[in-house]
Amino acid sequence: MTKATEVLPDTVSGLKQLLDAIERREVDIVLGSSSRRVLTALIESPQRTAVSSINELAQQLAVNASTLSRLAQRLGYGGFSKLQDVFRRELTEGKHFYSEQASRLVVNSSDPDTLNQLTRLGRQESANIASMIEQVDPTVFLHSVELLASARRVRIHGMRQFHSLALFIAYGLGMLRPDVSTLDTGRQGVADALAQLDEGDVLVVSSCFPYTPSVLATAEVAARHGIKVIALTDSASSPLAKSALHSFYVPNHSLFFSNSMCAFMLLAQGLLSAVASHLGEASVSALKHRETLISELNASL
């Protein structure tokens, strides 16, 4: 007599124990030989499983992407991204993320045509952009644009390479409306910066796996104090999405040795362009005023 699993494993070792139980028919989960092979391969290469897209894994394992989705559902995870989260946690906040990404470049370095890598990278980024656009909820996009245009204060926060994205958004939005900056622009620290915001102000945060713990904590604290959080992240299972009022999910799988930023930058440009349209003549006046100041300063040099 088999028994149902009560708690889904949240570690790779727990998954291995579940696989052993399935093979011994101790649980009410039935997997065919192909699914058992795939699950075994995922467990044996947790880093690869954590950082690869579902399509990349399917290609490496010689199965269809739908096979991975069905496997996750049969195990009780609902979707492959939930199963993949188990492997992502195994990397302990990305301890080996960058080296694992770089190792994929080394594996493919035997190709004598170096432009081949650029071509593949371009195709992957195009796929990321197309997937990102497909996932954008029109209502979420509209409400986010309205908040960015009308909130009394807007702050942007990102760390590491996402700091460059935060600077870009802060610069672009600051061209259109007042009281916009990166969260830590004064360098007094995040706590002091958050203390300057009131309930109803907006904080845009960005991070993806391996998530920066300080960014996650900042979003959680801001949301608890009534600050409206907009998250630019990688999936619905991202811890940032739990704190956000509105979230955008940006695929970022590529040959780059870190997280790809192309689709994130396009999303940022799309939001900024929509804010400019939403503000109408007010945005045009703001830009003309800036042009006047630039002209006056140039004349004085």
Side-chain angles (χ1 to χ4, degrees), residues 181-234:
S181 68
T182 55
L183 185 66
D184 54 349
T185 186
R187 299 189 180 279
Q188 293 95 348
V190 171
D192 285 336
L194 280 178
Q196 299 173 22
L197 300 181
D198 296 322
E199 186 174 345
D201 288 341
V202 171
L203 175 65
V204 180
V205 291
S206 56
S207 186
C208 64
F209 181 84
Y211 310 101
T212 304
S214 63
V215 175
L216 303 182
T218 299
E220 291 173 5
V221 172
R224 282 203 301 269
H225 286 267
I227 299 167
K228 296 179 179 179
V229 177
I230 298 174
L232 278 56
T233 187
D234 51 358

Side-chain angles (χ1 to χ4, degrees), residues 210-271:
Y211 310 101
T212 304
S214 63
V215 175
L216 303 182
T218 299
E220 291 173 5
V221 172
R224 282 203 301 269
H225 286 267
I227 299 167
K228 296 179 179 179
V229 177
I230 298 174
L232 278 56
T233 187
D234 51 358
S235 72
S237 59
S238 164
L240 269 187
K242 298 176 183 177
S243 302
L245 175 64
H246 300 307
S247 297
F248 295 93
Y249 308 125
V250 183
N252 60 340
H253 304 290
S254 78
L255 286 173
F256 185 48
F257 54 82
S258 187
N259 293 119
S260 168
M261 299 298 294
C262 291
F264 279 101
M265 292 298 291
L266 178 66
L267 174 61
Q269 288 182 241
L271 287 168

Side-chain angles (χ1 to χ4, degrees), residues 11-232:
T11 64
V12 174
S13 61
L15 270 175
K16 188 168 189 319
Q17 292 174 7
L18 177 59
L19 176 59
D20 292 340
I22 291 172
E23 292 179 339
R24 294 194 299 268
R25 299 183 181 180
E26 295 176 352
V27 293
D28 288 331
I29 299 175
V30 178
L31 297 179
S33 58
S34 177
S35 294
R36 292 199 304 273
R37 176 186 68 81
V38 168
L39 181 56
T40 299
L42 296 178
I43 291 171
E44 290 177 347
S45 301
Q47 293 183 5
R48 179 185 68 177
T49 304
V51 303
S52 300
S53 69
I54 186 172
N55 290 326
E56 289 172 336
L57 285 171
Q59 183 177 17
Q60 293 161 5
L61 298 174
V63 296
N64 293 323
S66 59
T67 299
L68 293 171
S69 297
R70 287 195 298 270
L71 171 62
Q73 292 168 359
R74 286 174 183 168
L75 294 175
Y77 289 93
F80 183 73
S81 64
K82 296 291 186 182
L83 174 59
Q84 192 174 39
D85 282 344
V86 176
F87 296 89
R88 290 181 164 185
R89 284 191 292 270
E90 189 75 10
L91 297 190
T92 316
E93 297 298 341
K95 184 186 298 183
H96 306 292
F97 175 78
Y98 303 104
S99 59
E100 178 68 20
Q101 289 285 91
S103 68
R104 296 163 63 196
L105 292 174
V106 174
V107 168
N108 294 309
S109 63
S110 58
D111 191 337
D113 185 359
T114 54
L115 281 180
N116 230 16
Q117 194 171 92
L118 177 61
T119 301
R120 291 178 59 200
L121 186 63
R123 289 172 179 167
Q124 289 171 334
E125 299 299 355
S126 296
N128 285 337
I129 290 171
S131 181
M132 179 273 292
I133 293 173
E134 289 176 0
Q135 294 184 64
V136 171
D137 184 319
T139 302
V140 169
F141 189 85
L142 175 61
H143 289 172
S144 297
V145 167
E146 291 173 345
L147 284 175
L148 292 173
S150 62
R152 182 180 178 186
R153 301 183 188 90
V154 179
R155 297 293 181 265
I156 323 293
H157 187 50
M159 299 292 288
R160 300 173 183 169
Q161 67 191 53
F162 281 97
H163 184 59
S164 63
L165 179 66
L167 288 171
F168 175 76
I169 296 174
Y171 176 77
L173 190 59
M175 295 175 70
L176 304 174
R177 49 149 297 165
D179 214 341
V180 177
S181 68
T182 55
L183 185 66
D184 54 349
T185 186
R187 299 189 180 279
Q188 293 95 348
V190 171
D192 285 336
L194 280 178
Q196 299 173 22
L197 300 181
D198 296 322
E199 186 174 345
D201 288 341
V202 171
L203 175 65
V204 180
V205 291
S206 56
S207 186
C208 64
F209 181 84
Y211 310 101
T212 304
S214 63
V215 175
L216 303 182
T218 299
E220 291 173 5
V221 172
R224 282 203 301 269
H225 286 267
I227 299 167
K228 296 179 179 179
V229 177
I230 298 174
L232 278 56

